[in-house]
Amino acid sequence: MRTPLRLTAICRLAVCFTFACGAIPAFAASFDCAKAGTGIEHAICNTPALNELDGRIDNYYVRAMADLPVGQASALRTEQRAWLKKRNACANNSGDLKACLEPIMKARSTALEDIHHRAASDFDAAVSLIPDSPVNAADKLRQYQTPLASAWLVYLNHFVPTSGVTAQEAHKYHQMALEGLRDDDFAYSVMKDIDSDPKESADRKVLTLLRMNIERVDYQYDDDDDRPYVHCFIFKAHGDVAYTAFGGMYGSSRDGSAPVCKPQDVIFDNPAWTTLDNAFSDVLAKVSQDAGTIQYASYADWRIFDLHVTVAPEDYLTMTKKPGKNESPVAEIQNWKDEKIWPKAQRERALAAIEPARKATAEWLQNDLGWTAENGLKGADNIVNQWLADRMMFIDGSGWTGE
């Protein structure tokens, strides 16, 4: 799959977060080794293999608990306590402590990983019922007491009243979903500000609460073998307010993982678009070095744009010109003066890639979506121009200075 230019640019920055560049996180012991007090704890801290296993066990346990219904979560908690007693019984083993601990811990790690995957799959299946069977979805989600399930129930009350989720329930679930953010002071304060702002619509508040809880769960944008996003139906259902709620919001590097879903079609995987994307990569990486963390919001919004084009391309048949720009993005590229920022050879490569991308988009709209030739050309022109305009606003600084 094409790596989004957003991620390409992020990964070229001097500071690169592992989640943005696809690095696999290392696991460490679940407790502070400086405070290890028992022989078991010292063995775990002093043995790399056991240290990693302990981290994996804790990771899968926490993730499973976050996705299990109340009854199953309670049972797993009891099971985990019993397992800890079994593990700690290795202290009575007169032989090699590592030899006793390692097979027990490996087996538990494997078991918890399986529980986690099954729990995540069951929870996602419940969410997937929302578009066609909201009553059944609500019944299943009520079995959970997790922040994300609570946020979905708030969503159902607000957007799908036929789901049967009452206002009284929604109030309770709203508090639970909000409390789930409390261990992240920044996210919690942002959500509180949005919640209390009378200028914000109720739709935006509900969707932002949902977004903030989704991004705390281990959904993956780029890894097709991992847990897929299941909330993508909301973009077709709610349009602009959903794109806003799930796009750039924090003004910091955490916008780099905005949970906006993959594009719903392959147009941006087309070789012509890949060429255009690559033609801008060098200048965007260069500008990003001085843009500050707030620019992660731009990368998030570019992902939103890709998604929007594939979910509702008809929105790009009619477009309003953005204020503050007196020339087209193509003319701005042609008239660019600062060779240090953007050398002529790079600009010419970008200009040469524009028309093939426009042609590929028109063909997609006509051949795949059944548009007329006239509408296909108009839609393609607007889509490409908007894509270019967004990047030119980033390159010239007007998108982040307000000029």
Side-chain angles (χ1 to χ4, degrees):
M1 192 185 81
R2 160 182 170 269
T3 300
L5 192 148
R6 177 191 69 82
L7 295 183
T8 302
I10 290 173
C11 290
R12 293 190 184 199
L13 297 177
V15 178
C16 178
F17 286 79
T18 57
F19 70 79
C21 298
I24 299 173
F27 290 98
S30 61
F31 56 90
D32 184 355
C33 281
K35 298 179 180 178
T38 67
I40 296 292
E41 290 176 346
H42 282 294
I44 289 172
C45 291
N46 294 333
T47 310
L50 298 182
N51 194 294
E52 181 177 352
L53 278 170
D54 188 72
R56 287 183 179 277
I57 289 168
D58 181 66
N59 175 65
Y60 290 129
Y61 174 72
V62 170
R63 291 161 77 180
M65 291 292 287
D67 284 318
L68 284 170
V70 177
Q72 294 179 38
S74 178
L76 180 60
R77 187 179 299 109
T78 299
E79 180 184 306
Q80 186 71 356
R81 288 171 181 163
W83 175 81
L84 285 170
K85 290 181 179 179
K86 178 182 178 181
R87 183 202 69 177
N88 292 341
C90 280
N92 301 322
N93 190 303
S94 58
D96 183 356
L97 193 54
K98 178 179 181 293
C100 180
L101 286 170
E102 190 165 21
I104 292 174
M105 295 177 70
K106 279 185 177 179
R108 189 57 179 164
S109 175
T110 299
L112 285 170
E113 183 178 9
D114 183 58
I115 292 170
H116 153 63
H117 285 305
R118 283 189 283 110
S121 178
D122 289 346
F123 179 83
D124 292 345
V127 173
S128 298
L129 290 172
I130 289 175
D132 298 321
S133 188
V135 173
N136 287 338
D139 286 343
K140 289 183 178 297
L141 290 167
R142 286 188 183 99
Q143 299 173 30
Y144 297 81
Q145 288 187 358
T146 62
L148 181 53
S150 298
W152 275 116
L153 287 162
V154 173
Y155 170 92
L156 283 166
N157 166 262
H158 181 74
F159 288 109
V160 195
T162 55
S163 65
V165 179
T166 67
Q168 185 177 6
E169 285 181 298
H171 177 75
K172 177 185 72 173
Y173 291 128
H174 180 277
Q175 292 305 116
M176 291 172 65
L178 188 59
E179 283 299 307
L181 304 174
R182 193 177 281 276
D183 63 345
D184 183 342
D185 291 340
F186 184 39
Y188 182 77
S189 64
V190 170
M191 188 65 241
K192 289 286 286 184
D193 288 344
I194 292 173
D195 249 352
S196 60
D197 188 347
K199 296 180 181 179
E200 292 286 2
S201 69
D203 289 0
R204 168 86 189 279
K205 293 176 182 180
V206 170
L207 288 170
T208 304
L209 181 68
L210 180 62
R211 173 253 175 94
M212 285 190 162
N213 279 281
I214 286 173
E215 67 188 3
R216 294 167 64 85
V217 178
D218 56 323
Y219 294 104
Q220 298 294 324
Y221 181 88
D222 288 320
D223 189 347
D224 292 328
D225 294 326
D226 212 321
R227 184 175 184 177
Y229 283 124
V230 289
H231 68 272
C232 299
F233 61 85
I234 68 171
F235 296 102
K236 187 70 172 179
H238 307 299
D240 285 344
V241 69
Y243 298 123
T244 299
F246 280 76
M249 176 174 66
Y250 294 108
S252 76
S253 58
R254 66 176 67 201
D255 275 325
S257 60
V260 295
C261 299
K262 296 179 183 179
Q264 304 296 287
D265 209 308
V266 297
I267 180 58
F268 293 108
D269 290 329
N270 184 284
W273 271 103
T274 301
T275 300
L276 181 61
D277 202 24
N278 290 337
F280 277 79
S281 61
D282 287 336
V283 65
L284 290 172
K286 189 177 186 66
V287 174
S288 294
Q289 293 174 6
D290 299 318
T293 57
I294 196 169
Q295 288 320 299
Y296 285 90
S298 293
Y299 299 128
D301 289 340
W302 296 348
R303 284 176 70 184
I304 281 286
F305 171 84
D306 287 3
L307 177 70
H308 191 166
V309 167
T310 60
V311 169
E314 62 274 10
D315 290 350
Y316 293 89
L317 264 177
T318 57
M319 292 187 62
T320 303
K321 185 177 181 292
K322 289 188 175 182
K325 289 287 185 181
N326 296 320
E327 60 182 350
S328 72
V330 172
E332 189 175 1
I333 298 171
Q334 292 170 334
N335 297 328
W336 186 267
K337 303 298 184 184
D338 192 339
E339 291 289 323
K340 291 182 179 179
I341 295 293
W342 202 0
K344 183 179 179 180
Q346 290 182 14
R347 298 198 310 275
E348 289 179 344
R349 188 157 63 96
L351 288 167
I354 292 171
E355 189 53 39
R358 199 189 315 270
K359 180 181 178 182
T361 306
E363 290 174 351
W364 167 65
L365 292 170
Q366 294 172 51
N367 299 335
D368 292 15
L369 303 185
W371 287 26
T372 65
E374 180 182 359
N375 282 346
L377 291 171
K378 183 178 180 181
D381 192 54
N382 287 338
I383 288 167
V384 171
N385 283 341
Q386 185 64 65
W387 190 97
L388 293 169
D390 288 344
R391 279 147 185 81
M392 291 308 300
M393 288 179 68
F394 185 83
I395 292 167
D396 66 22
S398 61
W400 40 280
T401 62
E403 295 177 3

